[in-house]
Amino acid sequence: MNQKWNANDPSRRRFLRAAGWLGSIGAFGGAKALAADAPTAQLPFANGQRELTRAFPQKGEMLLLRTRPPMLETPFDVFDQGVFTPNNRFFVRWHLAYIPTQIDAESFRLNVHGQVAKPLTLSLKQLMSEFETVEIAAVNQCSGNSRGLFHPRIAGGQWANGAMGCARWTGVRLKDILDKAGVNADAVQVRFKGLDSGVLPATPAFLKSLDIDHARDGEVMVAWGMNDEQLPLLNGFPLRLIVPGWYSTYWVKMLSDIEVLDKPDTNFWMAKAYLIPDTPHAAVVPGQTGYKSVPINRMVPRSFITNLRDGDKVLAGHATQVRGIAFGGDAGIAKVLWSADGGAHWEESTLEQDHGKYSFRRWHAKYTPSAKGENTLMVKAVNTNGVEQPAEANWNPGGFMRNVIESVKVQVG
């Protein structure tokens, strides 16, 4: 995590002015009705046709999974354009139907309470001026990214591989906020809540919690900036929790409430939802029961080829660059291996600039096919903890944590 701005940096004042302006418009409410003849894209599984939409505020062309609450997937070709995913193409996933369409940045407050010596009510200006500002590059990935590729199929959002993105997040350490409040000695967990809510009173509030030591590790942060801009409304304006190396379900958007607990959180979103089998790679056999479950937590490594797609044509005897992105999950990338023969032989690729252990990292290799026909290219990442992508896909009832080795079939002519 890098320090970026000092306490009186004019960038913060510009942000507050910008936030006040953007937060005052009815951005989300301006979404247009979707046209009947909207363009579509076909994702690589049954019933994978998706509408391409530009109807959502602050968003460019996105794959539409659901309108309310919105679920928007990043078209995969965006990931070939660079390490950092543009804000207007960054995926969106909300759980509850009601999302504020207007937030007054001047009157907004972040409340800190519970097992603390001094409850806090912090304005955006206080957060930007009374704490050290830090920045971190980190991947945000939905727990169910790639769920549409599970066999047998699983209920839930049928994502392809675009429910992920990498950004530079700017904000303050959660540890510093908790230290200012003075955490009591009997604190066990810290619970987070945003401004979204359900349509019915009985709908459980979306609450997520981290163990106290994790919350105070100095990496978890409260961010207002994303790629040097304010957070888009649909990505959590004005504040969201950043939990580097962990799945996105913990990255609470429109963060407004932090509560320190003296016992483990048993609310619906911790005790019932987002559970994984407590087995290697969270894998079970379809239909299996009787296993212990735990809340989903750390991400696992993944890698992708981004400049070639199934069916692309390349020439025999001519060099072609193969490139892509990789990330190590909860650790950095140690190496990215690629294969030009369906996994029979593997070579080490060239890694490009390192933006930190939680970031996407670009890789590339030179591919010179020798014979005509179909060729299967494969890629796998190994993180600095020695964890390697598996050859066989995992399966669990939530459709979580897919990270099987990816492949692309090209035609050599």
Side-chain angles (χ1 to χ4, degrees), residues 120-140:
L120 304 175
T121 300
L122 299 168
S123 67
L124 290 174
K125 187 175 182 179
Q126 285 178 289
L127 283 168
M128 294 177 181
S129 61
E130 296 179 7
F131 298 87
E132 181 184 4
T133 300
V134 294
E135 181 178 279
I136 193 169
V139 173
N140 177 21

Side-chain angles (χ1 to χ4, degrees), residues 303-354:
S303 60
F304 299 90
I305 296 169
T306 58
N307 69 320
L308 294 171
R309 295 177 294 183
D310 282 341
D312 280 357
K313 295 180 173 57
V314 297
L315 291 175
H318 292 263
T320 297
Q321 186 186 68
V322 182
R323 63 174 180 267
I325 54 171
F327 59 101
D330 66 338
I333 283 289
K335 55 185 174 182
V336 174
L337 304 172
W338 76 286
S339 171
D341 55 9
H345 301 86
W346 293 89
E347 297 179 41
E348 199 161 333
S349 72
T350 300
L351 296 178
E352 300 183 8
Q353 183 177 351
D354 186 356

Side-chain angles (χ1 to χ4, degrees), residues 158-182:
Q158 300 297 297
W159 302 103
N161 294 326
M164 63 177 185
C166 180
R168 295 185 300 271
W169 309 95
T170 303
V172 298
R173 298 181 187 90
L174 175 62
K175 176 182 186 299
D176 293 346
I177 296 174
L178 295 174
D179 286 351
K180 188 179 183 70

Side-chain angles (χ1 to χ4, degrees), residues 166-226:
C166 180
R168 295 185 300 271
W169 309 95
T170 303
V172 298
R173 298 181 187 90
L174 175 62
K175 176 182 186 299
D176 293 346
I177 296 174
L178 295 174
D179 286 351
K180 188 179 183 70
V183 174
N184 293 345
D186 59 354
V188 173
Q189 288 191 327
V190 183
R191 183 160 68 186
F192 308 93
K193 181 180 182 301
L195 295 175
D196 50 329
S197 59
V199 174
L200 300 175
T203 303
F206 186 70
L207 303 167
K208 299 297 293 190
S209 295
L210 299 174
D211 289 346
I212 186 68
D213 288 345
H214 187 187
R216 301 184 69 188
D217 70 359
E219 291 189 325
V220 178
M221 60 186 286
V222 174
W224 59 75
M226 181 176 175

Side-chain angles (χ1 to χ4, degrees), residues 54-67:
R54 294 177 177 270
F56 288 80
Q58 301 173 288
K59 290 295 171 185
E61 187 171 74
M62 302 289 286
L63 295 159
L64 177 65
L65 270 70
R66 186 175 65 193
T67 300

Side-chain angles (χ1 to χ4, degrees), residues 205-264:
F206 186 70
L207 303 167
K208 299 297 293 190
S209 295
L210 299 174
D211 289 346
I212 186 68
D213 288 345
H214 187 187
R216 301 184 69 188
D217 70 359
E219 291 189 325
V220 178
M221 60 186 286
V222 174
W224 59 75
M226 181 176 175
N227 292 327
D228 294 325
E229 299 175 357
Q230 67 181 47
L231 287 163
L233 187 75
L234 288 171
N235 293 108
F237 176 87
L239 297 173
R240 91 175 290 176
L241 192 70
I242 306 300
V243 189
W246 281 45
Y247 283 98
S248 182
T249 181
Y250 294 94
W251 297 41
V252 173
K253 298 180 286 296
M254 291 186 180
L255 178 67
S256 62
D257 190 272
I258 298 174
E259 181 181 6
V260 179
L261 308 175
D262 60 1
K263 55 188 176 184

